[in-house]
Amino acid sequence: MTSRQIQAIRGMNDILPEEALLWEFFEDTARAWLRAYGYRAIRTPILERTELFVRSIGAVTDIVEKEMYTFIDELNGESLTLRPEGTASCVRAVIEHNLLYSGPQRLWYWGPMFRHERPQKGRYRQFHQVGVEALGFGGPDIDAEHIVMCARLWRMLGLDGVALELNTLGGSDARARYRARLVKYLERHRESLDDDSKRRLHTNPLRVLDSKNPVMQELIEGAPRLADDLDEDSLRHFSDLQAKLRSVGIAFALNPRLVRGLDYYNGAVYEWVTDRLGAQGTVCAGGRYDGLIAQIGGKPAPACGFAMGVERLLALVSDGAASASRSAPDVYLVHQGAAADPFAEQVAERLRDHRVNVLLHCGGGSFKSQMKKADASGARFALIVGDDEAQAGEVSIKPLRELAEQVRVSIEEAADLIKKSVISDS
Ligand code: HAM
């Protein structure tokens, strides 16, 4: 009797080898892109104290109220949470290790995030983000840098049709004034609010504007606008940012309804959206969060950043882009014979010293069956080692993807030949 199979958790995906190729292409591209702008990596734990997210993302947000994977550590009774996003952890680490002491920091991180949302295409319970944070920078030049960076990454990935939406949320005074006006308005229309909005009316009224419920749209259209309460500083910051974007030719649309689902934002916020992914069209989002560092115990300092959803971006990347990154080995090494087998292992290592990618046949079998595997591997060459070759300290090399003679050469000559052919092909 076979045992019952165990399957992955709903909303948490395996990335199988074929698909992993596309991920590697993305990771390589992203690393080169981040280096080009002088960002340095920071790696933080996946598990944090729950309080970190409550205090940064906000107690009355969807994420904290209903989407976090939280549990009690039975050893000490502490409440812990799988990170639902990366900004809070990054800021915590920067404060804890006093990184701002040596000046402003340009940082990035990458990895899985966890949100207990209802899974659907483009929305998962474990998903991946590449996040970028600039801490200690206050001017609109860095906001512009982030947006320009994103535009470059879309080009590097061969994406088009990703549009930029911009808004500004203003400083905390402006937000408080606006909140009061909005609550008054929503209270006047209480009978038209759906249950979610009624619940948010006094806890997080700005989020009512984010409602996707069609019956709420007319009410939302008629709501007072934050723009009328904005302070001079944020208006100036926002118009400087827009001028910078225009000067480098980055198109954007102003969206006064863009409020973001995390409470730490103030000032300029933005989302990159596509209409090619259905309801989950936001591929990247971010903005200013000047109050967050102080809010979680650091010395006040301005900051801003963004994060992109890797699964959503990869759904837009064409297969052509991915096939640019080859997965096939350069060489499949077939071998048979008492002297040949140990010699083949040495040959494989010597070739790898020369940066040749070698798939060494394992598991025995006839030359014929091994050659079939070599063909199927997609390798450019089969390297054949029998006892004859082993005694002479040589290898036979057979091109698999072009009509050419098999030749017998030294290991060094084989390495040269393979490298030349790989380089001329790339
Ligand atoms: P966020 O808007 O919550 O912001 O997430 C950023 C991006 O992560 C989204 O635009 C989306 O592409 C992706 N994403 C979010 N949830 C899911 C999900 N369940 N499944 C798949 N993809 C998802 C943040 O997380 C902020 N920390 C961004 C930031 C960094 N702001 C400043 N610095």
Side-chain angles (χ1 to χ4, degrees):
M1 200 183 79
T2 51
S3 321
R4 189 174 56 84
Q5 277 184 18
I6 300 173
Q7 289 180 336
I9 297 167
R10 198 162 112 82
M12 304 205 179
N13 301 315
D14 298 311
I15 298 160
L16 301 178
E18 276 301 311
E19 210 187 334
L21 263 185
L22 187 61
W23 283 70
E24 279 170 20
F25 161 74
F26 174 77
E27 287 158 20
D28 293 347
T29 309
R31 283 207 173 84
W33 164 69
L34 289 156
R35 263 198 306 275
Y37 287 87
Y39 282 73
R40 298 187 306 150
I42 184 163
R43 300 184 187 209
T44 61
I46 285 172
L47 209 52
E48 296 272 3
R49 293 197 165 81
T50 306
E51 187 194 358
L52 174 67
F53 302 116
V54 177
R55 272 170 55 190
S56 53
I57 298 171
V60 206
T61 54
D62 280 353
I63 296 178
V64 170
E65 276 187 335
K66 47 188 187 198
E67 293 171 1
M68 295 207 304
Y69 283 90
T70 294
F71 61 93
I72 302 292
D73 181 343
E74 285 180 6
L75 287 180
N76 58 12
E78 221 168 26
S79 180
L80 304 179
T81 294
L82 281 173
R83 63 179 183 197
E85 59 107 48
T87 308
S89 309
C90 177
V91 171
R92 178 205 46 74
V94 165
I95 297 170
E96 189 167 334
H97 303 285
N98 209 9
L99 295 191
L100 286 174
Y101 181 75
S102 48
Q105 298 286 321
R106 284 181 164 92
L107 302 171
W108 71 273
Y109 50 84
W110 140 267
M113 309 290 160
F114 303 85
R115 296 185 194 176
H116 202 281
E117 298 191 79
R118 202 167 43 77
Q120 62 180 82
K121 184 169 177 278
R123 187 164 72 193
Y124 308 105
R125 290 180 171 169
Q126 175 180 289
F127 60 97
H128 296 75
Q129 283 186 346
V130 170
V132 163
E133 315 289 355
L135 302 116
F137 296 91
D141 45 0
I142 195 89
D143 304 60
E145 175 173 292
H146 284 174
I147 289 171
V148 168
M149 269 176 94
C150 289
R152 176 177 295 275
L153 182 64
W154 312 152
R155 286 198 301 279
M156 289 169 85
L157 293 170
L159 302 187
D160 45 32
V162 185
L164 175 64
E165 296 192 356
L166 271 186
N167 192 21
T168 179
L169 300 178
S172 53
D173 290 352
R175 284 255 284 287
R177 276 196 302 277
Y178 175 64
R179 189 189 146 111
R181 266 198 324 134
L182 182 64
V183 169
K184 248 192 211 153
Y185 168 84
L186 294 173
E187 267 174 344
R188 272 207 312 279
H189 297 88
R190 199 170 217 293
E191 68 292 349
S192 321
L193 296 180
D194 63 9
D195 286 348
D196 248 5
S197 305
K198 274 192 188 123
R199 204 169 45 79
R200 285 182 175 142
L201 175 57
H202 289 287
T203 52
N204 200 350
L206 259 71
R207 292 283 288 154
V208 172
L209 303 178
D210 229 12
S211 166
K212 302 282 179 288
N213 188 346
V215 306
M216 293 283 300
Q217 295 315 305
E218 200 179 322
L219 191 82
I220 290 173
E221 259 324 292
R225 305 229 158 192
L226 174 66
D228 302 331
D229 288 293
L230 286 180
D231 47 291
E232 229 172 79
D233 280 355
S234 16
L235 282 173
R236 193 172 326 105
H237 184 105
F238 196 46
S239 68
D240 286 355
L241 171 60
Q242 292 177 54
K244 283 178 192 302
L245 296 179
R246 282 197 197 93
S247 79
V248 290
I250 292 193
F252 56 87
L254 295 179
N255 176 0
R257 299 287 172 222
L258 199 158
V259 292
R260 309 280 302 121
L262 305 95
D263 280 356
Y264 50 63
Y265 290 107
N266 70 300
V269 290
Y270 53 92
E271 293 191 353
W272 290 92
V273 294
T274 167
D275 54 13
R276 281 171 51 203
L277 294 177
Q280 309 304 321
T282 307
V283 292
C284 175
R288 274 229 152 248
Y289 52 91
D290 293 330
L292 181 60
I293 298 177
Q295 204 174 308
I296 51 180
K299 236 170 76 194
C304 62
F306 62 90
M308 62 194 76
V310 179
E311 283 83 356
R312 291 186 193 177
L313 275 177
L314 291 189
L316 298 178
V317 173
S318 73
D319 294 342
S323 64
S325 66
R326 293 182 340 112
S327 74
D330 302 323
V331 165
Y332 193 100
L333 208 166
V334 308
H335 54 99
Q336 194 195 42
D341 293 345
F343 179 61
E345 286 166 17
Q346 291 171 25
V347 171
E349 283 302 297
R350 292 264 294 278
L351 289 176
R352 290 178 189 128
D353 289 342
H354 288 277
R355 298 182 189 278
V356 173
N357 299 331
V358 184
L359 214 156
L360 175 67
H361 179 82
C362 286
S366 67
F367 268 127
K368 198 169 154 207
S369 73
Q370 291 191 34
M371 283 304 286
K372 271 195 190 145
K373 294 211 164 73
D375 263 333
S377 73
R380 183 183 310 259
F381 297 99
L383 235 62
I384 303 157
V385 174
D387 285 342
D388 256 13
E389 278 90 352
Q391 251 119 46
E394 292 178 341
V395 295
S396 294
I397 178 164
K398 180 174 168 42
L400 293 173
R401 301 206 332 239
E402 64 211 71
L403 276 176
E405 285 296 300
Q406 175 173 323
V407 288
R408 201 158 131 175
V409 292
S410 71
I411 301 173
E412 309 305 314
E413 281 169 320
D416 265 3
L417 238 149
I418 296 160
K419 275 194 318 203
K420 272 190 197 125
S421 135
V422 170
I423 290 167
S424 75
D425 206 50
S426 58

